[in-house]
Amino acid sequence: WGSKKVVDYCGPDASPYKVGLCSLGWAFYTAIGGTVLTFICAMFSAQAEIATSSDKVQDEIEEGRSLICVL
């Protein structure tokens, strides 16, 4: 933020820790949201793995029954 190009664009108050007249756009917030959703999906997949790893469930899979995981 302290480079000459950023100071020219964002105003003289722009520095490494101050954004000056600039602001963070929607892409930044979308990236943060995507990261959070990725972690949530990882937690769901871990729960699905735990739910399907019991011996009873494995026996049903071997018998050809299909599984539906519902939280």
Side-chain angles (χ1 to χ4, degrees):
W1 288 106
S3 71
K4 182 180 179 336
K5 188 179 256 186
V6 173
V7 170
D8 290 343
Y9 185 72
C10 297
D13 293 335
S15 66
Y17 298 104
K18 287 179 62 180
V19 294
L21 299 175
C22 292
S23 65
L24 298 174
W26 62 268
F28 174 76
Y29 298 110
T30 302
I32 297 295
T35 303
V36 170
L37 289 175
T38 299
F39 282 110
I40 290 171
C41 289
M43 288 188 301
F44 284 148
S45 69
Q47 290 297 324
E49 174 64 28
I50 291 169
T52 59
S53 63
S54 71
D55 292 334
K56 181 180 177 184
V57 173
Q58 292 298 325
D59 292 340
E60 290 183 13
I61 291 173
E62 289 173 3
E63 291 175 5
R65 297 173 110 179
S66 50
L67 296 175
I68 299 175
C69 295
V70 179
L71 296 176

